[in-house]
Amino acid sequence: MGDQLKRLEALADRLEAIANKLSSSSSLNRASAADDSTSNIDHLPIIRDYETLINVSIQPFVVLSQKIGGDLTALSNHVLRLFNAQQQFIREAIQSKKPNEKQLMDAIKPQSLEIEAILGFANKNRKSPFFNHLSTVSEGIPALSWILVTPTPGPHIKDMSDAAQFYSNRVLKEFREKDPAHVEWVKLWIKALNELYTYVRQYHTTGLAWASQSSRDFNFVSKPTTKPAAAGGGGPPPPPPPPPPPPMTFDTNVDDSTDDSRNQLMSSINALGEGVTSHLKKVPDQLKTHKNPELRQQPDNQKSSHGKPVVPSKAGKTTSPSTTNTATTGPPKLVLDGNKWLVEYQAGKSDLRITDTNMRHSIYVYKCTNSTIVVEGKVNSITLDQCTKVGLQFTSVVSLVEFINCKSMKAQAIEHVPTVLIEKTDGCHIYLSKASLSTEFITSKSSEMSVNIPSVDDEYKEYPIPEQFKTSIKNGTQLVTIPNESAGV
C-alpha cells in the first residue's frame, strides 16, 4: 500500500511539472504574439512614414532650435511632444473603429493641449527678439489639426503652411545676411509642414484612416492630465467663436441733424439752378498757381492792390479750364479679380457674403454705404476705403484690417486679427474675440474709435482708443508721447 502511494505521488508531481511547463510556454507565446502584433503595426508604411517625418524633419528642427536658444528652446519641445502624440494617436486609430465625438475629443486632448501651448507661448512673448520665429511656428502648427478635417484634410495643411510663410519671410529678411542658421531653421519648418502635407495626401486623403472592418473599440488613454503652463484653455482646436456682439445695424435717423441741415442747404442751392453761379467768372490758366509755379514765388511788391499776382501778358490763345469728373457712384460690384475680392458701390445691402476664400486672398471694399459684409475663412488682408456705415464680420486675417477715409464703421473678429489700421476715419468700433486679445491698433487723423473686448462672462466691455496725445521732451533729446487725459482715457 505504501509503495502504491509513493508511485501515485511521483506521478502527480510529474503531471504538475508538465502542466507548469505548458502554462509557462503558453504565456511566452501570448507575450510573443503581442510583441509581434506591435512590431507589425510599427512596420506598416502608414506608421513608418510618420516616424520618418519625425526623424528627418522634426528632430533636426528641434536640434537647431535648441542651438539657436532663447524662446525657441521651449517652443521646440512643445512641437516635438505634439508630433509624438499624433504618431501614437494614428497608431491606435488604424487599429480601431471610429469612436463617438466625445471619445474622440478625449483622445486628441494631448495634441490639443500642445497646440494651445504653442499658440499661447507665441502670444505671451510678443516682445521676444524671436517673435517672428514664434509666429512662424504658431501660424503653421494648426496644420496638425488635420485629423479633424474631412473630407479633404490636405488643403487645410497647405493653408496653414501658407500662413506660416508670412512670418517666415520676415525671419529670412532679417537674418539672411546675418546668420545662416536662422535661414536653415525656416527651411526645416516649411519642409516639415510640406512633408506632413505629402503624408496626409498619401494615407489620409479623405480624412483620418480608421480600421474599416475592425470591431475593436478605440481605447487610447490620454496620459497628460495637466495643462501646460503656456496654454490658454482646454478643448481641441480651433476654439469655438464667442457669442456675437450686438447686430451691426445702423440707424440712419440717429445724429442726422447736421446732415439734414446740410441737405436742406444743398437742396436750396440746387433749386436755384445754374443762375446761382452765373455771375461768377472763370479763372484763366494764367492765374492758376498750380499751372504757373512762378506765381507762387513772386514777392509782395509784384502783387496788385488786391493781393493778386501780376501776370505778364502772353501771346497766344487762352485755353478754357478743364474739368475733372470725379464719380462718387458706380455699378455695384462683388467679384474675385485674381487674388483680390472687389466690393464696390454697394448700398443698403445686409446680405453681402464672401465665402470662397483662402490665405492668398485680399478683400478691398470701396465706397459702400449702409451695408453689412461677412467674410468667411482666413484671408490675407481686408481694406475698407471711403465707406460709410458699413458693418464687417470676418473669421480670421493673416496681416491686417484697415479703414481709410471711412465714417461710422463697425467690425467684428470671430477668430484672429494681428493688426487694425485706422486712418482718416470718424467713428470706428471694433469687436474682438478672446483669440484676438493681442491685436495691435495703429491710428492716425481719426476720431470716435473704440475696441470692445469680451469679458469672463462673454459680455463685451468697450474701451476708447485715444485721440489726443501729449508729447514732452526727455533728457533734452528724446520725445515721449502719452495719451492725453482730457481725451477720456
Side-chain angles (χ1 to χ4, degrees):
M1 187 69 178
D3 293 338
Q4 291 178 348
L5 287 174
K6 290 180 180 180
R7 286 196 296 272
L8 288 173
E9 289 176 355
L11 180 60
D13 291 340
R14 291 178 60 192
L15 290 173
E16 184 177 359
I18 293 173
N20 290 335
K21 184 176 181 180
L22 290 173
S23 176
S24 176
S25 176
S26 177
S27 298
L28 290 174
N29 289 336
R30 286 197 299 270
S32 177
D35 291 342
D36 289 343
S37 176
T38 302
S39 177
N40 290 336
I41 291 297
D42 288 340
H43 282 84
L44 290 176
I46 193 172
I47 299 298
R48 187 185 62 221
D49 286 359
Y50 199 97
E51 179 74 22
T52 301
L53 186 157
I54 293 176
N55 292 334
V56 173
S57 297
I58 301 304
Q59 289 285 6
F61 172 79
V62 172
V63 170
L64 185 55
S65 297
Q66 308 257 352
K67 180 180 178 181
I68 295 175
D71 293 325
L72 298 186
T73 299
L75 189 73
S76 63
N77 289 333
H78 286 299
V79 171
L80 181 59
R81 285 196 292 267
L82 173 57
F83 274 87
N84 286 334
Q86 185 159 105
Q87 182 190 30
Q88 178 60 27
F89 174 82
I90 295 173
R91 180 186 287 111
E92 187 66 27
I94 64 173
Q95 304 176 71
S96 313
K97 62 182 181 181
K98 188 175 181 179
N100 60 41
E101 185 175 354
K102 183 179 184 304
Q103 292 171 327
L104 180 59
M105 294 301 102
D106 290 339
I108 67 172
K109 192 172 183 180
Q111 299 171 68
S112 301
L113 294 180
E114 292 298 341
I115 291 177
E116 292 174 8
I118 292 169
L119 297 176
F121 189 83
N123 282 332
K124 290 180 179 179
N125 291 277
R126 299 185 66 84
K127 295 184 179 180
S128 168
F130 297 135
F131 174 70
N132 287 329
H133 298 68
L134 303 182
S135 297
T136 298
V137 176
S138 66
E139 287 293 321
I141 208 64
L144 275 83
S145 63
W146 67 266
I147 55 178
L148 299 176
V149 178
T150 56
T152 53
H156 169 74
I157 299 174
K158 195 66 176 175
D159 286 345
M160 297 303 103
S161 179
D162 291 342
Q165 287 187 339
F166 177 80
Y167 286 99
S168 68
N169 288 338
R170 292 185 174 184
V171 177
L172 294 176
K173 182 178 179 180
E174 181 180 359
F175 290 95
R176 192 184 303 276
E177 305 297 333
K178 296 195 302 185
D179 191 343
H182 295 263
V183 176
E184 181 63 22
W185 183 90
V186 168
K187 291 180 179 179
L188 286 173
W189 178 240
I190 299 301
K191 176 186 175 186
L193 295 178
N194 289 338
E195 290 191 355
L196 179 65
Y197 171 77
T198 302
Y199 168 83
V200 171
R201 284 290 300 271
Q202 182 173 357
Y203 296 108
H204 309 273
T205 308
T206 59
L208 180 64
W210 299 91
S212 58
Q213 298 179 341
S214 174
S215 60
R216 177 175 178 266
D217 289 331
F218 192 87
N219 60 1
F220 182 86
V221 179
S222 300
K223 294 182 179 180
T225 57
T226 58
K227 189 180 184 68
M248 292 185 292
T249 58
F250 298 92
D251 186 357
T252 57
N253 295 322
V254 178
D255 296 332
D256 281 346
S257 58
T258 303
D259 291 341
D260 289 342
S261 300
R262 185 182 300 109
N263 292 336
Q264 292 175 6
L265 175 62
M266 295 304 297
S267 297
S268 300
I269 294 176
N270 292 334
L272 297 175
E274 295 182 357
V276 72
T277 58
S278 60
H279 65 285
L280 299 178
K281 297 180 180 180
K282 293 182 180 180
V283 179
D285 285 349
Q286 293 94 327
L287 293 179
K288 294 179 180 178
T289 56
H290 69 281
K291 289 190 175 182
N292 299 275
E294 66 276 6
L295 299 181
R296 295 194 295 266
Q297 308 298 326
Q298 289 184 353
D300 291 340
N301 59 7
Q302 293 185 17
K303 294 182 180 180
S304 68
S305 59
H306 298 288
K308 296 180 181 180
V310 177
V311 184
S313 60
K314 290 184 179 180
K317 184 178 179 180
T318 302
T319 57
S320 61
S322 61
T323 59
T324 303
N325 182 20
T326 57
T328 57
T329 60
K333 182 184 296 186
L334 199 165
V335 297
L336 177 61
D337 183 7
N339 284 329
K340 177 183 287 189
W341 281 96
L342 300 176
V343 186
E344 299 179 355
Y345 303 111
Q346 299 286 349
K349 297 288 187 179
S350 60
D351 57 351
L352 300 173
R353 303 184 73 89
I354 301 176
T355 58
D356 185 15
T357 61
N358 62 51
M359 305 282 294
R360 294 175 292 276
H361 285 173
S362 61
I363 314 292
Y364 182 70
V365 185
Y366 179 68
K367 286 193 175 181
C368 294
T369 59
N370 295 295
S371 299
T372 302
I373 303 170
V374 177
V375 179
E376 299 181 5
K378 195 169 190 176
V379 298
N380 185 273
S381 64
I382 302 176
T383 299
L384 295 97
D385 186 5
Q386 301 181 49
C387 295
T388 301
K389 293 184 178 180
V390 170
L392 169 69
Q393 184 185 73
F394 58 93
T395 304
S396 190
V397 171
V398 175
S399 56
L400 59 80
V401 173
E402 56 183 336
F403 302 87
I404 303 174
N405 291 313
C406 294
K407 181 179 180 181
S408 301
M409 309 296 289
K410 292 183 180 179
Q412 178 196 4
I414 298 298
E415 292 181 6
H416 184 61
V417 52
T419 305
V420 175
L421 187 149
I422 307 173
E423 180 180 348
K424 298 180 181 177
T425 294
D426 296 324
C428 189
H429 307 284
I430 310 297
Y431 293 83
L432 296 180
S433 68
K434 290 183 178 178
S436 297
L437 300 185
S438 59
T439 300
E440 295 180 343
F441 293 85
I442 302 173
T443 63
S444 64
K445 300 182 180 179
S446 300
S447 63
E448 300 178 36
M449 302 170 290
S450 70
V451 54
N452 296 263
I453 300 176
S455 58
V456 177
D457 55 359
D458 290 329
E459 294 291 333
Y460 281 84
K461 185 174 181 180
E462 184 176 11
Y463 298 88
I465 297 177
E467 302 173 18
Q468 300 179 11
F469 301 89
K470 180 173 65 176
T471 300
S472 58
I473 302 175
K474 183 179 180 181
N475 299 327
T477 57
Q478 182 181 2
L479 294 181
V480 177
T481 302
I482 61 174
N484 190 9
E485 294 182 358
S486 64
V489 295

